[in-house]
């Protein structure tokens, strides 16, 4: 048996906490300062955490290796099982003409760039985030906006800013599921708490988008539809995450918002139209961006920025966007529209069936198993067994499995042959190969830090901030996402630390853990990976610095806003919002 020690280094909690932070510092310095590739940085952080666990925290070598294996397996299943199957469905749609029909449907609704920024970057981007993530929403949205006539730099800024509200529940809620895995806190509580924070950001984002497109005039003339879009998205996020299925949060929110905007436009139109005179030119630029984004140089730039798969995905997504975004804005026939949105309807239907009480009960009985992870026998410093040594394996009921089934139904509907479907799946795995390394290494690092006691040491040290920790917690999440480029990775690294510090300061662990995810998404627009994706997608090589300068103010402003909300939720003023 291994019992965790709070202050193993020189008997000092402060010194021990500084040592515990070294793997995270190494990870961030390699990513942010030396621009080392994300997989290499994650593996380096994992190696250092193993050395500290064995030498500093006196964890037996076999248990340290077993903890690493548990983290790697959790990274593969369920996290990467979700990501791979979600991205596979997205690639299935891109491989058919129906993706172009979906884009044409959206563009046929309005020829006002302000309205299109809401529909394409906010709504359609959220739909892509719910499935693909990893740069696809930014790359596709930016290329579509360019095809509609928006300037390249503005297209990139709009797409990056829009990719905030849906991120906490992106990739079928992978960030929240990862948070549940590392903290052991109830998934429903974490989902509900995040669903009571991110909607306030969703309410504001469409207004910011129209301001970026057309300044004060844009807000003055289009605020009604912007508010409708933000309110519809926020309410749908809240309802789905609190009362339905966390995995479907972004899918439902995006679909509901599109419907709300369409209904709004039937009874209301802006006084002026900010036109698309440059549509043809924009389409040519989008085609050029597709070639640029698909070039080896662009892929290398994306990888050098801190994430090989993000750069590679930018190339693929940009290429897909460029080849499937024509200048034809005519409205497709109703049957074509239904076929274009069919994959998303299939996903909603499959997950809805899985929520039927007797189906859910059956899936829980035959589709899930809980067991003690071999080689782990750990208690905390108080002598209580550590919950993370128990492993819950969902197979039939897993989100990734339901997505796989949805993909098979999509293949049948779109008449995609089995050989082609397998080839697309194989290409998806190849595309995500470095992401797989990064995610498994980060989860291995997280599990080693959590099970060795390093995270607990950090949490106790941070608890010395007292009530001030409620203001510090969102900043930690923001830094994590800005540097790693992933809300899932940030939650895996900091989720347990946030929960531990919250317990020591008398705050709600659910509130602080969820805050890591909700506030973290504000850093997504500044992550090196996303900036590289956006720059490559619009054909502006080397524009990452320009994009960063244009977005840093918005990112910090939104962070300040949600920090105030989280602080009030930690007090009696809004404490009633915490599950």
């Amino acid at each position: 048996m291994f019992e965790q020690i709070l202050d193993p280094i020189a008997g000092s909690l402060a010194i021990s906490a500084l040592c515990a932070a070294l793997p995270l510092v190494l990870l961030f310095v390699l990513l942010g300062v030396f621009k080392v590739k994300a997989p290499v940085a994650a593996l380096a952080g994992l190696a250092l955490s193993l050395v500290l666990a064995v030498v500093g925290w006196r964890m037996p070598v076999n248990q340290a290796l077993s903890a690493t294996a548990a983290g790697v397996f959790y990274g593969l299943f369920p996290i990467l099982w979700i990501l791979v199957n979600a991205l596979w469905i997205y690639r299935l749609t891109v491989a058919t003409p129906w993706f172009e029909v979906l884009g044409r449907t959206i563009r046929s609704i309005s020829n006002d760039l302000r309205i299109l920024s809401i529909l394409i970057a906010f709504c359609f981007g959220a739909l892509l985030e719910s499935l693909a993530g990893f740069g696809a929403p930014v790359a596709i949205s930016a290329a579509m906006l360019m095809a509609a006539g928006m300037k390249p730099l503005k297209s990139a800024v709009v797409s990056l800013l829009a990719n905030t509200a849906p991120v906490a529940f992106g990739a079928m809620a992978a960030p929240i599921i990862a948070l549940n895995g590392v903290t052991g806190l109830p998934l429903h509580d974490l989902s509900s708490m995040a669903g009571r924070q991110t909607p306030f950001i969703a309410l504001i984002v469409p207004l910011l988008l129209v301001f970026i497109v057309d300044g004060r005039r844009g807000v003055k003339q289009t605020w009604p539809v912007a508010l409708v879009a933000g309110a519809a998205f926020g309410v749908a996020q809240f309802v789905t995450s609190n009362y339905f299925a966390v995995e479907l949060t972004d899918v439902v929110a995006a679909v509901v918002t599109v419907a709300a905007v369409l209904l709004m436009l039937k009874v209301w139109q802006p006084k002026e139209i900010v036109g698309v005179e440059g549509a043809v030119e924009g389409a040519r630029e989008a085609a050029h961006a597709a070639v640029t984004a698909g070039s080896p140089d662009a892929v290398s730039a994306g990888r050098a920025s801190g994430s090989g798969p993000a750069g590679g995905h930018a190339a693929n997504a940009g290429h897909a966007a460029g080849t499937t975004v024509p200048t034809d804005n005519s409205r497709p026939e109703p049957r074509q529209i239904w076929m274009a949105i069919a994959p998303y309807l299939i996903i909603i239907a499959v997950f809805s069936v899985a929520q039927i009480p007797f189906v859910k009960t059956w899936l829980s009985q035959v589709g899930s198993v809980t067991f003690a992870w071999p080689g782990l026998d750990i208690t905390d410093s108080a002598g209580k067994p550590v919950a993370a040594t128990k492993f819950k394996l969902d197979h039939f009921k897993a989100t990734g499995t339901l997505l796989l089934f949805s993909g098979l139904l999509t293949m049948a509907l779109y008449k995609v042959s089995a050989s082609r479907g397998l080839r697309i799946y194989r290409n998806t795995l190849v595309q995500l190969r470095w992401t797989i390394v990064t995610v498994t290494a980060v989860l291995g690092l997280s599990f080693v830090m959590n099970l060795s006691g390093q995270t607990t040491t950090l949490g106790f040290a941070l608890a010395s901030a007292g009530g001030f920790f409620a203001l510090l917690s969102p900043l930690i999440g923001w830094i994590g996402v800005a540097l790693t480029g992933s809300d899932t990775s940030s939650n895996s690294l900091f989720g347990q630390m946030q929960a531990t510090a919250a317990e020591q300061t008398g705050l709600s662990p659910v509130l602080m853990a969820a805050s890591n995810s909700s506030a973290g998404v504000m850093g997504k627009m500044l992550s090196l990976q996303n900036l590289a994706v956006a720059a490559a997608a619009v054909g502006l090589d080397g524009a990452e610095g320009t994009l960063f300068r244009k977005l840093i103010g918005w990112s910090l402003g939104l962070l300040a806003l949600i920090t105030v909300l989280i602080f009030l939720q930690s007090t009696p003023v809004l404490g009633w919002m915490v599950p």
Side-chain angles (χ1 to χ4, degrees):
M1 179 181 291
F2 165 63
E3 182 174 328
Q4 295 176 347
I5 309 171
L6 273 181
D7 52 357
I9 311 299
S12 167
L13 180 63
I15 296 175
S16 299
L18 289 174
C19 291
L22 287 178
L24 302 178
V25 172
L26 176 64
L27 174 65
F28 293 157
V29 168
L30 290 177
L31 280 175
V33 179
F34 295 103
K35 297 183 179 178
V36 172
K37 294 177 182 178
V40 176
L43 288 171
L46 170 59
L48 181 56
S49 70
L50 277 169
V51 171
L52 286 170
V54 174
V55 177
W57 272 256
R58 305 164 202 169
M59 188 180 196
V61 174
N62 65 312
Q63 297 218 44
L65 294 176
S66 183
T68 304
V72 168
F73 188 83
Y74 188 81
L76 292 171
F77 206 97
I79 302 302
L80 285 164
W81 184 233
I82 296 171
L83 298 181
V84 169
N85 287 309
L87 185 54
W88 174 56
I89 294 177
Y90 160 70
R91 288 173 65 96
L92 281 175
T93 64
V94 172
T96 69
W98 298 112
F99 186 81
E100 181 272 327
V101 174
L102 182 60
R104 187 152 54 94
T105 301
I106 293 175
R107 294 193 307 277
S108 68
I109 295 169
S110 173
N111 60 352
D112 189 311
L113 286 178
R114 300 166 300 185
I115 305 299
L116 288 176
S117 70
I118 295 174
L119 284 170
I120 294 174
F122 186 67
C123 301
F124 188 48
L127 202 57
L128 289 174
E129 180 66 37
S130 71
L131 289 180
F134 291 96
V138 172
I140 300 292
S141 298
M144 290 178 72
L145 288 171
M146 285 175 63
M150 191 177 290
K151 297 294 184 182
L153 188 63
K154 187 173 288 186
S155 298
V157 172
V158 167
S159 298
L160 284 164
L161 183 59
N163 191 222
T164 49
V167 169
F169 296 97
M172 306 306 288
I176 303 297
I177 292 173
L179 196 60
N180 159 252
V182 298
T183 64
L185 297 171
L187 178 63
H188 181 263
D189 288 352
L190 292 170
S191 168
S192 299
M193 190 68 254
R196 300 174 191 186
Q197 294 170 336
T198 57
F200 292 95
I201 299 301
L203 184 64
I204 297 171
V205 168
L207 289 167
L208 299 182
L209 297 181
V210 297
F211 178 81
I212 290 173
V213 173
D214 194 35
R216 293 181 180 178
R217 182 182 67 171
V219 176
K220 184 177 180 180
Q221 294 184 355
T222 62
W223 67 264
V225 70
L227 279 182
V228 166
F233 194 93
V235 170
Q237 260 197 340
F238 166 74
V239 172
T240 309
S241 61
N242 277 263
Y243 304 110
F244 189 37
V246 58
E247 299 89 350
L248 288 179
T249 299
D250 280 348
V251 178
V252 173
V255 171
V256 167
T257 306
V258 169
V261 171
L262 292 180
L263 291 173
M264 177 73 176
L265 293 176
K266 285 184 177 296
V267 297
W268 174 93
Q269 289 289 334
K271 291 181 179 179
E272 297 179 54
I273 298 296
V274 174
V276 293
E277 301 93 351
V280 175
E281 178 186 353
R284 289 174 183 158
E285 290 175 334
H288 170 72
V291 176
T292 304
S295 70
D297 290 341
V299 174
S300 299
R303 288 175 176 169
S305 71
S307 176
H313 193 69
N316 179 54
H319 176 72
T323 55
T324 58
V325 183
T327 55
D328 180 10
N329 288 339
S330 61
R331 187 174 181 80
E333 298 176 1
R335 177 185 172 279
Q336 292 180 315
I337 295 175
W338 282 110
M339 285 292 289
I341 65 174
Y344 307 101
L345 297 179
I346 287 173
I347 290 171
I348 292 175
V350 168
F351 278 85
S352 298
V353 169
Q355 295 301 314
I356 297 174
F358 76 90
V359 176
K360 188 174 183 179
T361 301
W362 180 79
L363 285 174
S364 297
Q365 291 174 347
V366 304
S368 179
V369 60
T370 301
F371 59 93
W373 187 264
L376 292 179
D377 188 5
I378 302 173
T379 62
D380 60 21
S381 57
K384 299 178 181 178
V386 175
T389 57
K390 297 287 186 181
F391 201 95
K392 183 180 181 183
L393 175 63
D394 293 330
H395 35 91
F396 288 145
K397 69 172 290 188
T399 300
T401 305
L402 296 179
L403 282 173
L404 177 63
F405 185 61
S406 301
L408 295 174
L409 292 177
T410 300
M411 282 178 58
L413 179 66
Y414 283 172
K415 298 180 180 178
V416 177
S417 66
S419 60
R420 191 182 184 196
L422 284 172
R423 185 168 63 252
I424 294 172
Y425 201 99
R426 182 196 64 200
N427 292 339
T428 301
L429 288 172
V430 171
Q431 177 186 322
L432 289 177
R433 63 191 182 281
W434 294 115
T435 298
I436 292 171
V437 175
T438 302
V439 171
T440 52
V442 167
L443 265 297
L445 165 63
S446 172
F447 269 60
V448 170
M449 290 189 65
N450 291 344
L451 290 172
S452 67
Q454 295 172 56
T455 300
T456 304
T457 298
L458 272 174
F460 270 80
L462 286 172
S464 61
F468 179 71
F469 183 71
L471 295 174
L472 185 62
S473 173
L475 179 62
I476 294 172
W478 181 85
I479 292 173
V481 177
L483 289 173
T484 66
S486 166
D487 202 34
T488 301
S489 296
S490 178
N491 285 348
S492 299
L493 288 172
F494 294 134
Q496 181 60 41
M497 183 183 70
Q498 298 266 26
T500 301
E503 289 176 349
Q504 297 305 310
T505 54
L507 298 170
S508 165
V510 169
L511 171 62
M512 294 296 99
S515 298
N516 191 83
S517 189
S518 300
V521 302
M522 308 311 159
K524 187 73 180 269
M525 68 182 83
L526 300 179
S527 70
L528 292 171
Q529 294 95 314
N530 249 22
L531 292 173
V533 164
V538 299
L540 294 176
D541 292 334
E544 290 87 350
T546 302
L547 291 172
F548 181 88
R549 288 189 294 273
K550 286 185 174 293
L551 288 163
I552 181 67
W554 298 114
S555 180
L556 291 174
L558 290 172
L559 174 65
L561 183 66
I562 200 166
T563 298
V564 171
L565 172 66
I566 291 167
F567 177 75
L568 291 177
Q569 288 176 334
S570 72
T571 69
V573 177
L574 293 180
W576 51 270
M577 297 179 70
V578 181

